[in-house]
Amino acid sequence: MSKINAPRGTADTLPQESWKWQAVERIARQAATLYHFGEIRTPIFEATELFARGVGEETDIVSKEMYTWEDRARAQSEKAQSLTLRPESTAGVVRAYIEHKLGETGQLQKLYYIGPQFRRERPQRGRYRQFWQIGAEVIGPQSSGAESPLRDAEVLEMLASLLNELGIRDWKLELNSVGSAEDRVRYNAALRDALQPVKHLLCEDNQRRADTNPLRVLDSKDEADQDLINALPKIADYLGPESGAHFAQVLAALDACEVPYNLNPRLVRGLDYYTRTTFEFTVTTGLGTQNALLGGGRYDGLSEMLGGPKAPGIGFAIGEDRLILTLQAQAEADSISTASPFTAAKLDAYIAPLGLAQNSAALALARDLRAAGLTVEVGDGTFKLRKSFDTADALARHIILLGEDEAATNILTVKTFATGEQKKVKRAKLAEALA
Ligand code: HAM
């Protein structure tokens, strides 16, 4: 029989790796709590139209990368519907905001999520077809302050603090404002004009974008087109007074919080819902060309595009796979095994029953130690002593030997690997001795 592998661009996360994901998620959840975010869990698939309308028909994500299928009706009461594995979560979160009328609470909604996303991209290091995001959205009616530049700066400051706490070094915040919908009408017109005389020199994709959605030309990675793209008009020159003032206040709050940033006029991002502030955090270690660790921005018109009430918002999504790759590459560069959140914890103890007759007693001892809060693994009475010691040394800080004598006297032999010390400990004092 031929063997079956995981689909291209997907991966299994085995226990040797998954603890790192747990460590990162624990820190992210703590940060979310500190900043008053609550968790939202939305479906992994949604109506295709949600992404077509929200993310935009002309984006690479919607035009090339979605996993879409026609879901047939199973009963007379059902309709066939086109469904899509979510390529991102912002559209789903805003759909949920509308569906549950969260705006009617009048309160600012601060929502975070951790989960898989799906894009049919060409896989490479840091780019997969199923990948994980840790994301957050701040959204609410205008009266809740959702539109305030303070919110933009709070999200950016939170990200800077989170990356610092995770130990990510040398991150860069790239920042831009893509203006309001009205600013963009003027900017798009200017881009179209500027593109007209040079359009024929661009690659095929960019020629099409020049007509359909000229903003998309700016995030083109096509090498040959870069000089022409760099010479195009800059959005900063087309911001109206309101967008300009909003952006200036974001920058002032970042300065007050001492968050460093680089202004990048070409950062328009690959999704159509953005207005005003857009950003990415990039890193130099570990990711190669896929150097964006996370991205986000403001989307003041998205709720209306999805048929909801006016609800300005801002959010981000961290590529969790990329975060882990970066932390790993940094740890390798340092060749230290003690890097804080990124160190595997050893078990407190490994119990070695000496002979089959001690298996039951070993399991009962393990139960007691675990009940006392210790992490414990149990060997097996058939193992040779050498094998028990080797396994224990790899897994745990201590080995507990449980033979006939130990069972009879309730005094156990404990060896501590770090010091090489071996001693006899009363069963009742064991938990204390291992702590
Ligand atoms: P995005 O820039 O498309 O934004 O994705 C955010 C991050 O997800 C990227 O910076 C990257 O780290 C990671 N990512 C994207 N595609 C892949 C992939 N194929 N493989 C591995 N990692 C990937 C969004 O998704 C927006 N929803 C962010 C947002 C939230 N904006 C406002 N709120």
Side-chain angles (χ1 to χ4, degrees):
M1 289 277 253
S2 59
K3 82 180 169 30
I4 300 169
N5 291 332
R8 189 163 138 77
T10 72
D12 302 305
T13 306
L14 303 179
Q16 300 89 290
E17 290 296 317
S18 61
W19 65 267
K20 298 175 186 171
W21 292 69
Q22 291 175 355
V24 160
E25 288 168 16
R26 184 169 32 77
I27 293 172
R29 286 181 196 279
Q30 275 164 3
T33 306
L34 285 178
Y35 285 77
H36 188 215
F37 283 79
E39 185 178 6
I40 182 167
R41 300 186 185 205
T42 61
I44 277 175
F45 56 86
E46 298 268 5
T48 304
E49 197 189 345
L50 175 69
F51 305 113
R53 270 207 259 160
V55 175
E57 298 270 16
E58 255 308 305
T59 59
D60 280 355
I61 295 178
V62 173
S63 65
K64 303 183 191 160
E65 297 170 358
M66 297 207 300
Y67 288 95
T68 297
W69 69 100
E70 196 57 29
D71 209 47
R72 280 176 296 142
R74 302 267 327 247
Q76 291 245 297
S77 56
E78 275 183 351
K79 274 206 205 106
Q81 190 183 14
S82 176
L83 297 175
T84 292
L85 289 181
R86 65 182 183 201
E88 61 104 53
S89 284
T90 308
V93 170
V94 175
R95 181 210 35 80
Y97 172 92
I98 298 166
E99 191 166 333
H100 300 284
K101 302 189 169 60
L102 298 182
E104 290 179 12
T105 64
Q107 299 298 315
L108 189 66
Q109 303 294 313
K110 296 173 95 175
L111 307 164
Y112 83 95
Y113 51 86
I114 300 178
Q117 319 290 333
F118 307 85
R119 296 183 193 176
R120 201 166 56 232
E121 298 199 74
R122 200 166 43 75
Q124 64 179 79
R125 184 177 172 82
R127 190 165 74 193
Y128 313 104
R129 292 183 169 179
Q130 171 169 315
F131 59 98
W132 266 255
Q133 285 185 341
I134 301 175
E137 313 295 346
V138 181
I139 178 169
Q142 251 171 328
S143 59
S144 69
E147 210 172 346
S148 167
L150 178 146
R151 293 299 156 202
D152 307 46
E154 184 184 41
V155 160
L156 292 165
E157 185 280 320
M158 169 180 172
L159 284 166
S161 295
L162 176 60
L163 295 188
N164 288 342
E165 180 165 359
L166 286 164
I168 297 281
R169 293 191 303 255
D170 303 326
W171 53 259
K172 274 209 187 78
L173 163 55
E174 305 278 330
L175 193 59
N176 190 23
S177 172
V178 295
S180 66
E182 299 78 58
D183 301 337
R184 279 239 295 288
V185 171
R186 285 185 291 128
Y187 181 55
N188 267 321
L191 269 185
R192 269 207 182 89
D193 288 350
L195 281 163
Q196 232 19 281
V198 293
K199 207 173 80 179
H200 63 284
L201 303 170
L202 298 172
C203 73
E204 212 177 293
D205 271 349
N206 281 335
Q207 290 195 21
R208 183 174 43 79
R209 293 178 184 131
D211 292 325
T212 54
N213 191 346
L215 212 59
R216 291 276 73 82
V217 174
L218 296 185
D219 56 26
S220 159
K221 300 274 184 310
D222 191 285
E223 277 298 321
D225 290 357
Q226 295 305 310
D227 286 348
L228 281 174
I229 297 173
N230 280 327
L232 292 170
K234 305 276 182 285
I235 182 83
D237 300 323
Y238 293 81
L239 295 185
E242 272 186 48
S243 303
H246 191 276
F247 196 45
Q249 287 178 55
V250 175
L251 302 186
L254 289 177
D255 291 339
C257 297
E258 294 167 77
V259 176
Y261 52 84
N262 298 329
L263 296 179
N264 178 353
R266 269 187 61 181
L267 191 77
V268 293
R269 314 239 324 114
L271 305 94
D272 278 353
Y273 52 62
Y274 288 114
T275 54
R276 301 202 268 196
T277 312
T278 53
F279 57 87
E280 280 179 8
F281 282 69
T282 59
V283 285
T284 40
T285 314
L287 293 182
T289 52
Q290 301 302 313
N291 68 346
L293 202 54
L294 68 95
R298 193 164 259 295
Y299 43 83
D300 294 339
L302 178 56
S303 173
E304 287 119 302
M305 278 152 68
L306 300 177
K310 186 168 173 61
I314 179 161
F316 65 84
I318 304 174
E320 192 176 359
D321 306 75
R322 295 188 188 178
L323 190 62
I324 305 270
L325 279 176
T326 307
L327 287 170
Q328 206 140 290
Q330 283 189 188
E332 278 159 26
D334 295 351
S335 65
I336 44 166
S337 54
T338 49
S340 55
F342 233 53
T343 311
K346 284 208 159 183
L347 295 168
D348 293 317
Y350 181 92
I351 303 173
L354 308 178
L356 265 181
Q358 304 309 326
N359 266 359
S360 314
L363 203 60
L365 176 61
R367 178 203 56 188
D368 292 350
L369 294 177
R370 287 165 177 159
L374 298 172
T375 54
V376 176
E377 183 55 286
V378 197
D380 189 85
T382 59
F383 294 171
K384 296 235 161 57
L385 198 58
R386 180 77 261 147
K387 172 169 168 176
S388 292
F389 266 92
D390 288 349
T391 311
D393 195 10
L395 294 181
R397 295 189 294 118
H398 306 277
I399 184 169
I400 303 171
L401 302 177
L402 179 53
E404 227 170 283
D405 280 359
E406 283 87 356
T409 58
N410 266 337
I411 296 176
L412 296 131
T413 307
V414 177
K415 182 174 175 181
T416 307
F417 290 110
T419 57
E421 186 194 5
Q422 188 161 318
K423 59 185 177 192
K424 300 275 187 194
V425 182
K426 280 202 188 122
R427 183 172 171 144
K429 298 270 177 203
L430 205 49
E432 218 173 286
L434 298 175

